[in-house]
Amino acid sequence: MSADRFDTARRSPWTFIRNGLARLGISGRTAVILAPTLWLTLFFLVPLLVVFKIALSTFALGQPPYAPMFSWSGSGTLSIQLDFSNFLFILSDSLYANAYINSVRIAGISTLVALVIAFPMAWFIARSDEKHRHIWLMLVILPFWTSFLLRVYAWMGFLGRNGIINNALISLGIIDEPILMLQTEGAVFIGIVYTYLPFMVLPLYTTLVKLDQSLIEASADLGARPFMTFLTVIVPLAMPGIIAGSMLVFIPAIGEFVIPSLLGGADTLMIGRVMWDEFFANRDWTVASAVAIVMLVILVVPIMLLNRAQDTVVESEQ
């Protein structure tokens, strides 16, 4: 084997990739950015455009259950038909407005409850001995090792009229007859908080574990009480974790379908259930797509506010 061929054989595949990108005029930084951009375009932007196209289409009986938006005439003219009646129907019907408001309310309260529960847990894990932290973190993510649906069904066994909680309270003589806990809004709160609690704990832990203990000691030396130290020192420094955890809980909770369907009652109306009914019960894909687009617009507002707050915190720390 000649020296040139031997050198070529010893080259890593990344060398050929870099050389190929260089020939195309693509720098390494651009290539790194290009990969997630293509991923988001293919699996987020393109499906979103398809949903938006369906939302602007006209309902039709058939497969698919909507009329084509683009049509060619015999003379070669392209016709584009946009139907905004689906959005007008959503805005005029109080059912969808109540579903949006209820979804935001339930998701917001669940996020606050998850934050109140997760903060002490994250603080305990962050301040525990380093050799024990991985054990506590494993216990936090342990529920993810089982099916999400099975965990929700387990709560049905806990909260049912003949469930574990009611049987325990009756055995202890605290109550005489079972309490209605399942098929209530409270059960939905329990299911959402339990399901998404790890998404709040982990960002908080990541922030609190890097917290400088000397700042807390300095606050105590200056005469601040523990509660004031918590409000003026710990909470501001933990704000990036609070914002990140709140986004990870609020965003999926607002569109939750399984938990309200299994744990909630008929009066627990959330937008995920409305979309399910429109897609599969009514087979009205146009209205369901419009509902999804409006929900996305509603989500953009809190996401922008949380991102702005997070950027403000980062800039103040710098």
Side-chain angles (χ1 to χ4, degrees):
M1 181 182 294
S2 63
D4 294 340
R5 291 184 179 180
F6 181 75
D7 291 339
T8 303
R10 291 181 57 188
R11 291 178 184 175
S12 124
W14 296 108
T15 304
F16 294 100
I17 295 176
R18 286 196 298 269
N19 293 337
L21 293 175
R23 293 190 188 97
L24 295 174
I26 301 175
S27 63
R29 181 178 180 181
T30 304
V32 172
I33 299 175
L34 187 62
T37 301
L38 291 175
W39 179 273
L40 290 176
T41 302
L42 183 61
F43 294 103
F44 176 75
L45 184 59
V46 172
L48 180 62
L49 292 176
V50 172
V51 173
F52 191 68
K53 170 185 173 295
I54 297 175
L56 293 176
S57 301
T58 305
F59 174 78
L61 296 176
Q63 185 65 30
Y66 55 88
M69 179 184 295
F70 306 99
S71 60
W72 288 91
S73 63
S75 59
T77 304
L78 175 63
S79 301
I80 303 177
Q81 182 178 2
L82 302 179
D83 188 357
F84 292 92
S85 62
N86 299 315
F87 293 97
L88 297 176
F89 174 71
I90 292 173
L91 295 177
S92 62
D93 195 331
S94 61
L95 171 69
Y96 301 99
N98 294 333
Y100 286 122
I101 294 172
N102 209 34
S103 298
V104 173
R105 179 179 61 85
I106 292 176
I109 295 175
S110 301
T111 302
L112 291 177
V113 174
L115 176 61
V116 172
I117 298 174
F119 205 102
M121 295 175 60
W123 178 263
F124 171 77
I125 297 173
R127 295 305 165 194
S128 61
D129 195 283
E130 290 187 7
K131 62 182 180 181
H132 295 148
R133 286 179 188 171
H134 66 281
I135 299 176
W136 301 119
L137 290 174
M138 184 188 69
L139 293 176
V140 170
I141 65 175
L142 190 63
F144 290 114
W145 295 7
T146 58
S147 170
F148 165 73
L149 192 60
L150 290 178
R151 284 182 279 144
V152 177
Y153 272 112
W155 274 109
M156 296 177 66
F158 275 100
L159 302 175
R161 292 184 62 85
N162 295 321
I164 296 175
I165 297 178
N166 273 321
N167 289 336
L169 294 177
I170 293 175
S171 300
L172 294 174
I174 299 176
I175 59 175
D176 297 328
E177 58 182 15
I179 301 174
L180 179 61
M181 292 181 287
L182 191 62
Q183 305 300 321
T184 61
E185 194 172 272
V188 176
F189 285 121
I190 293 174
I192 292 177
V193 171
Y194 165 77
T195 301
Y196 296 107
L197 186 62
F199 294 105
M200 183 70 77
V201 173
L202 296 178
L204 285 173
Y205 163 77
T206 304
T207 304
L208 293 175
V209 75
K210 298 182 293 184
L211 189 64
D212 191 354
Q213 185 67 26
S214 62
L215 298 176
I216 301 176
E217 295 174 356
S219 177
D221 293 339
L222 293 174
R225 294 185 177 182
F227 183 70
M228 289 302 300
T229 300
F230 174 76
L231 290 180
T232 58
V233 178
I234 298 176
V235 170
L237 293 177
M239 193 57 66
I242 294 174
I243 296 174
S246 299
M247 293 178 64
L248 290 175
V249 174
F250 180 82
I251 293 174
I254 197 173
E256 184 59 53
F257 164 71
V258 175
I259 295 175
S261 297
L262 297 180
L263 301 182
D267 56 342
T268 306
L269 184 63
M270 293 188 69
I271 202 64
R273 179 61 183 271
V274 173
M275 282 194 292
W276 173 273
D277 291 340
E278 293 292 350
F279 264 114
F280 298 101
N282 301 334
R283 288 193 55 80
D284 194 343
W285 290 17
T286 56
V287 172
S289 299
V291 171
I293 295 297
V294 173
M295 185 181 71
L296 181 63
V297 173
I298 293 175
L299 280 175
V300 167
V301 176
I303 290 173
M304 292 178 59
L305 294 176
L306 290 173
N307 281 331
R308 179 175 296 182
Q310 193 171 24
D311 294 339
T312 303
V313 172
V314 173
E315 291 175 0
S316 63
E317 290 179 353
Q318 296 176 350

